[in-house]
Amino acid sequence: MNGTFPSENPRQRPHPLKRIGELREKYLLPQPPPLLAVAGARNAGKSTLINALLQEDISPVDVLPATPCSIFFFHGQSFSVSAGRFKPVHSRQGLASLLRRGDIHAGRVDVTLPNPWLRICTLIDTPGLDAASQSHLVEKTLAPADHILYLFHQRGMDEQDRLFLHRLKGSLSRPGSKRISFWINCNCGRPDGSALTATREALGEIFGREIPVNYLNTRDAESIENLRLFVEVELAFITLKELEKFFSGEDRHIPRRLAGTLAIGEDGPFLNAFWSIYERARDALETSQLFASLQQVRLEIREKLAAYNRKVPAVAASPAGMENTWQAVSFPVLKERLLNLLQRLLEAPFLRSPATRERLAELAGSLAGDRFYVTLWGPFSSGKSTFLNALMQEELLPAQDKSTTSTLVRLHHGAEKVAVIHYPRELTLFLVEEREGNAYLCREELVTLYRWLNNPGLLKDLRQMEACTGGRYSRVNAAELAALLIQTQNLFRSPALPGNIYNHVPAITRPISLKRAALAVTAVRLHFHHVREKVFHLADPGELAEFRRLMITPEEAMLIEAIDIHHPAEMLKLATFVDSPGIDSVHTRYARKVAEWLRNSDLHLIFFNGRHMLSPVHREFLRQEIPPERERDNCFYVVNFADTLNLSERERVATWLRRELAPAASREIHFISALDALKDGKNLAFNRLLRQLEQAILIQRGEKILLRRIDQIGELLAVEARKSPPVGRLLEKYSRELEDIRLILKRPGGYRIWRTPASLRKG
């Protein structure tokens, strides 16, 4: 192949690619090769992909962001690195050192090396999307690229991706969807396909038509080989277009050149000149024919990619009901016994002091209202639901690569596995949200609202509907609301799409000014005749399947106000665990819902994805919602997907997080694999985290709440005993019962089997 394409064995590549390479070497060599850029979220695997294409480790790879600026890779005779005012370096170690400099972020680094792949393209490695300023720099870098490989993390598109792609689409001189291919890097374990579907739908909304998205695994040789072949084919199409442009200019000169050959008298020079013209004409004809051949190769590659997408296996369910070897302090039982004790004291005829009886009644009321919540929050697809499934040791909560949890799910201790879905009497659905000074249409909410309007059962339950326009709510019926929704979607529709499309929300929408958005329906308020609940017995496979379906179906999930699950898991005796929506989902209402709830939470489990650390939305949310004075005592930091990190990477992640999360640097960072813990209830890292959680809950809930109540009750009983020795003898059994509860709460935390004192046994 004359060094044109990087395959060692030409038979591994279809003939059209080889021939196109030969034609490029022959006619286009003075021109620079096409620009191939790799872009996407931080830690999505862009640098790993660059190295896979080059088949050598050049671009720096780290579990933390390691590409501070754009890196251009050119073909050259020797390895060299240049970066503006910085001194050139000629070693890979020098490149790594240069990229670690703090003042390199706004610059550009050029790397030349003798790699055969760089004969067919110039590669661009871009930094991950972060701050707005950096995103604009990436956008500027991508503008001249001939093809862009856009890489998503395994969880698919998030809010940062969506905002960036909205801007990128508008800045490209040619149609963006023609020059970009989209890939989901499934390097965090087996994907379930949900992120693939969700990302395709979101891209269709942005670009206005169906957009192909494929799975890629930068750790899998088959996947990388498919990608390399895909890239070669796309670059070959770009080369063919350049050849076609070149030969179209040559065609105009052929008659003049033929006429010139007739003036050559000698046979040898005549034949050489004529053969040169003939060869160019033959190559021009072959170039036009190669388009059809290359199109066939493209179809074969797309079928290979589709086959790889179909190979995605489902995550195996874990065995349910694994035997526990420990028991935790049951706060519900202890609280029940304390309330029972207080009730018996209030009914005791020998306790006559009005002041004491009034104080005991106050303590009973305060104790009855006591709740202790442990809230899990963080990015979507960081493993929160899988963590809770591991805690219950069975897969009850749905967990997908895409954003799944759309409401608060509260897990309580209970003897039976029961889920209760709560529906509100009043529900407000926001259709427009403000971002960066513009108004954006909440497309999924609008689609859901159309489905509700076509649901006779739901309409029957509605008492009243109100639409908010210009900041004011007014009562409307179904027909009036449908007309207002058409008006709203037409405000946001692309000029290329026809208007007045009832019951069909356009796949592509555009941001509009806030002034123009005043004409839109910004929210819809629904009033129902009564508050409803649905109860599911989760031990029944059919009811479990229906419960999971309601949680993941958008038009069903948006109607849900909250979910309560009762389960006999030992850890739930300690506290109520709360699963929350991902804060950086494309649905920004989720972040608002989490922020409102966190004020009610007593202890936080803050989750991070080990392969997608601390997105800008996550960092900003942390800074806003966790006051510094609460960080040390009330927060646990959990890095999930730890099975994908080696020891060195874990240390680097921990150091980086402590720096980012200061002043909470003293808090331990827990590295776990929730999926491994779901499969094996004896997982060491998972159980270690649970032990520390138990200790924290015992300290905060036991010492700060229950022990304080016990002390207050004991002081009242002691006062009454001093007043009257006969009453004191009657109160001795109550004092012994209080002391039994105190001993349980004061025992050291950790997994332990404890014998329930006789005074606390039921019956």
Side-chain angles (χ1 to χ4, degrees), residues 571-724:
M571 198 68 184
L572 298 180
K573 292 179 180 178
L574 297 169
T576 295
F577 282 73
V578 183
D579 192 11
S580 63
I583 57 174
D584 60 347
S585 166
V586 292
H587 310 299
T588 53
R589 69 180 187 279
Y590 290 175
R592 293 195 298 268
K593 185 175 292 187
V594 175
E596 291 170 1
W597 167 256
L598 287 182
R599 290 189 292 270
N600 299 321
S601 183
D602 299 287
L603 193 147
H604 303 270
L605 282 179
I606 305 173
F607 274 70
F608 302 86
N609 188 315
R611 285 288 171 185
H612 191 231
M613 292 300 301
L614 207 58
S615 68
V617 175
H618 194 185
R619 181 191 289 109
E620 185 62 27
F621 197 88
L622 277 167
R623 290 173 177 170
Q624 290 181 0
E625 299 301 327
I626 302 296
E629 65 272 12
R630 296 182 60 192
E631 286 186 342
R632 295 182 186 275
D633 298 329
N634 295 66
C635 299
F636 280 75
Y637 301 103
V638 182
V639 178
N640 196 19
F641 301 103
D643 54 320
T644 68
L645 307 176
N646 59 37
L647 183 59
S648 173
E649 290 173 332
R650 293 187 189 190
E651 291 174 351
R652 288 179 55 76
V653 166
T655 301
W656 187 74
L657 268 181
R658 288 191 180 99
R659 185 176 66 247
E660 292 290 324
L661 297 174
S666 62
R667 169 64 73 183
E668 179 179 356
I669 296 172
H670 295 267
F671 288 85
I672 68 165
S673 169
L675 187 58
D676 286 350
L678 177 58
K679 297 174 183 176
D680 179 12
K682 298 180 181 179
N683 183 275
L684 292 177
F686 179 75
N687 282 321
R688 185 171 184 274
L689 170 59
L690 292 190
R691 283 198 300 272
Q692 294 195 18
L693 267 177
E694 183 188 15
Q695 292 172 3
I697 294 170
L698 283 170
I699 291 171
Q700 294 195 35
R701 183 173 192 178
E703 294 184 2
K704 295 183 179 179
I705 300 175
L706 287 182
L707 279 179
R708 186 167 66 250
R709 300 289 189 269
I710 292 170
D711 289 341
Q712 291 167 338
I713 296 170
E715 289 172 4
L716 289 172
L717 298 186
V719 170
E720 290 298 316
R722 287 194 296 270
K723 288 180 180 178
S724 171

Side-chain angles (χ1 to χ4, degrees), residues 382-396:
S382 56
K384 301 184 296 296
S385 298
T386 304
F387 177 92
L388 292 175
N389 285 336
L391 189 147
M392 296 183 288
Q393 277 302 292
E394 57 181 319
E395 200 168 355
L396 297 184

Side-chain angles (χ1 to χ4, degrees), residues 169-285:
K169 170 180 173 269
S171 67
L172 295 173
S173 56
R174 289 172 284 176
S177 57
K178 299 289 187 182
R179 301 173 51 203
I180 308 178
S181 57
F182 295 96
W183 308 80
I184 295 179
N185 188 9
C186 51
N187 62 345
C188 289
R190 295 173 298 179
D192 58 20
S194 59
L196 193 68
T197 301
T199 301
R200 282 174 177 165
E201 292 175 354
L203 288 173
E205 175 187 342
I206 294 171
F207 289 99
R209 67 181 187 88
E210 184 177 352
I211 299 293
V213 185
N214 295 291
Y215 272 124
L216 166 73
N217 188 345
T218 51
R219 300 181 175 185
D220 179 51
E222 177 190 356
S223 181
I224 290 297
E225 182 65 14
N226 288 342
L227 176 70
R228 285 168 62 84
L229 188 53
F230 170 86
V231 170
E232 287 187 23
V233 170
E234 297 306 310
L235 293 175
F237 267 107
I238 296 171
T239 300
L240 273 182
K241 292 177 182 177
E242 292 298 319
L243 285 168
E244 189 177 49
K245 187 187 302 182
F246 171 81
F247 285 124
S248 65
E250 289 286 298
D251 286 346
R252 296 193 297 269
H253 303 295
I254 287 178
R256 178 177 56 80
R257 290 180 178 175
L258 283 174
T261 59
L262 297 177
I264 301 175
E266 298 181 14
D267 291 346
F270 169 78
L271 290 174
N272 285 335
F274 181 79
W275 178 254
S276 176
I277 296 172
Y278 167 78
E279 192 175 40
R280 283 178 178 255
R282 183 195 62 188
D283 290 343
L285 179 62

Side-chain angles (χ1 to χ4, degrees), residues 334-344 364 367-368:
L334 295 182
K335 187 173 78 170
E336 178 187 341
R337 293 299 175 174
L338 275 175
L339 287 171
N340 179 268
L341 183 148
L342 287 168
Q343 186 62 35
R344 284 183 278 132
L367 186 60

